[in-house]
Amino acid sequence: MNPVEMHVTAVLVSYNRKELLREALAALGAQTRRPDRLIVVDNASDDGATELAADFIAVWGNRGRLIQLTQNTGGAGGFTVGIAAALLPDSDGRMSDWVWVMDDDTVPHPDALENALQAHARFAAAGQDSLAVMGSRVVWTDGNNHPMNTPKPKILAADREKKRAAAAGGTEIRSISFVSAFLRVPRILAEGLPVADYFLWNDDFEYSARLLRGARGLFVPDSVVTHKTKLRGSSDTDPGERFYFEVRNKTWVFNQSRALKLWERNAYRAATVRRWLRTVKNSTNRKQLANCLRRGLRDGIGTKPRYNSEVLLGAGVPDDVAAVIAHLEEPTFKRKTAAGWSSKA
């Protein structure tokens, strides 16, 4: 199939940002190449975002779906639900080829999807189509690249990989944020879903790195979105209580996930420790961040993520989506053993 004609489901996770959600949904509807389907997952918003999403979904007709969760499951839970829903056939019985994920503060530029698919077409024309993930260029409201969403390049990529990516109009990547990421459905089926227990932070790092281990990823600078955060800064700019999730979840990535090779884990560990110490040092509330660091390390080392079905139980996940989540628990949660990686018991 010509990649430009592939079926794309857009998944947007929303929580209490009504006006930003309005911009994001309007931008999706104004794409030069519209998504074939739109799924909005609302994390129990109480600011009118749910009602706004319902109005927009109504315009999409049977090509749209609103999933209203009954509790806030965080970005990790929302994307787990949304990606699972995107694996179901659409109203015409057609399955998706790509799942395009984003937050409610992400505003795609008009040709974001079209340019990503064209890059995929150029990549596929040059050889085996092993593309698993694509990522957009993320800018802030001033048009400059957003430091929070800089993709991690593929270290030690072969020259032929770099040349092929460049010929497609992009660069090789090892991981990407969920602020406009394109996820290939066959790869999702093979590697499972995000881990909902992360709640927020590093769920996208773990998941995209898991999908990309042994596969190919492409950063597409011509596919552009605006990330409308309050400030243009990286995620380690005095994060407050959220620093707990940074520490716990990154520790889970290193200790529990198969996303990274051994040498990658060691390299990322060293860089991460330096980053944590720098974050604490530069904070205006070092005591708070030191406490988050201690608790995050304790829980990251002493616990492991629960299965998605357990985390999302009672959150109002529709039965058909819950069935997909349950079906994909095994590829999602291959656990590390002394002998290597084993499937869910």
Side-chain angles (χ1 to χ4, degrees):
M1 177 187 293
N2 184 339
V4 175
E5 300 174 353
M6 285 185 164
H7 188 287
V8 180
T9 294
V11 171
L12 187 151
V13 175
S14 169
Y15 179 66
N16 278 349
R17 291 190 286 209
K18 178 180 176 180
E19 295 309 316
L20 288 173
L21 175 64
R22 187 192 306 277
E23 287 188 68
L25 292 174
L28 282 170
Q31 290 292 296
T32 54
R33 196 290 202 185
R34 291 185 70 180
D36 299 278
R37 179 172 51 170
L38 171 62
I39 296 172
V40 176
V41 179
D42 183 80
N43 259 323
S45 296
D46 58 10
D47 70 340
T50 308
E51 293 75 15
L52 175 70
D55 291 341
F56 272 89
I57 288 295
V59 176
W60 287 72
N62 58 12
R63 296 191 305 114
R65 181 175 185 179
L66 172 60
I67 298 177
Q68 299 174 244
L69 299 180
T70 57
Q71 58 187 250
N72 181 13
T73 63
F79 283 116
T80 297
V81 171
I83 294 169
L87 300 179
L88 294 165
D90 68 9
S91 58
D92 295 324
R94 189 176 175 189
M95 306 297 291
S96 290
D97 300 293
W98 284 102
V99 181
W100 183 18
V101 298
M102 67 195 72
D103 287 308
D104 54 2
D105 58 354
T106 304
V107 181
H109 293 202
D111 53 3
L113 176 54
E114 179 181 0
N115 287 347
L117 293 177
Q118 288 178 347
H120 179 201
R122 292 190 294 269
F123 182 91
Q128 181 182 359
D129 187 6
S130 55
L131 198 59
V133 175
M134 294 189 292
S136 299
R137 181 165 72 95
V138 183
V139 301
W140 195 52
T141 54
D142 62 358
N144 291 313
N145 290 342
H146 204 310
M148 186 181 293
N149 308 114
T150 303
K152 290 181 172 60
K154 184 178 181 180
I155 304 172
L156 303 181
D159 285 342
R160 66 179 183 278
E161 292 180 277
K162 295 178 182 178
K163 290 178 180 178
R164 186 177 178 188
T171 56
E172 283 276 346
I173 54 173
R174 186 62 180 89
S175 68
I176 198 78
S177 82
F178 279 162
V179 178
S180 191
F182 300 83
L183 314 174
R184 195 79 174 269
V185 167
R187 193 65 176 170
I188 295 172
L189 295 173
E191 296 296 328
L193 296 167
V195 179
D197 214 9
Y198 277 53
F199 193 73
L200 57 84
W201 283 14
N202 291 312
D203 51 310
D204 46 5
F205 169 56
E206 189 279 333
Y207 188 55
S208 62
R210 185 174 4 128
L211 294 183
L212 282 169
R213 182 170 180 174
R216 304 291 292 278
L218 187 67
F219 169 61
V220 184
D222 286 342
S223 173
V224 184
V225 303
T226 297
H227 191 193
K228 290 199 160 187
T229 56
K230 293 181 179 179
L231 300 173
R232 180 182 176 269
S234 63
S235 58
D236 59 351
T237 304
D238 215 353
E241 278 294 330
R242 292 187 173 195
F243 191 53
Y244 165 80
F245 293 104
E246 154 66 19
V247 176
R248 185 199 65 176
N249 295 351
K250 195 68 70 64
T251 305
W252 274 349
V253 173
F254 298 147
N255 292 348
Q256 300 293 336
S257 173
R258 65 186 186 278
L260 302 175
K261 298 177 181 179
L262 177 60
W263 70 267
E264 291 176 313
R265 289 201 302 273
N266 290 335
Y268 278 120
R269 267 198 195 98
T272 296
V273 170
R274 290 193 296 269
R275 180 182 177 188
W276 287 348
L277 293 176
R278 183 171 63 249
T279 300
V280 173
K281 179 182 177 181
N282 295 335
S283 174
T284 58
N285 191 340
R286 293 181 184 177
K287 183 177 180 181
Q288 179 190 49
L289 262 62
N291 180 264
C292 290
L293 179 62
R294 178 186 59 79
R295 291 187 293 113
L297 285 172
R298 179 198 65 198
D299 293 346
I301 295 171
T303 68
K304 59 186 179 182
R306 296 169 294 166
Y307 294 120
N308 286 337
S309 296
E310 179 183 351
V311 174
L312 298 170
L313 185 66
V317 180
D319 289 345
D320 58 344
V321 179
V324 175
I325 293 171
H327 178 72
L328 290 176
E329 294 283 47
E330 182 173 346
T332 300
F333 291 97
K334 291 179 181 177
R335 298 294 195 184
K336 189 176 180 182
T337 67
W341 296 98
S342 65
S343 297
K344 172 180 179 292

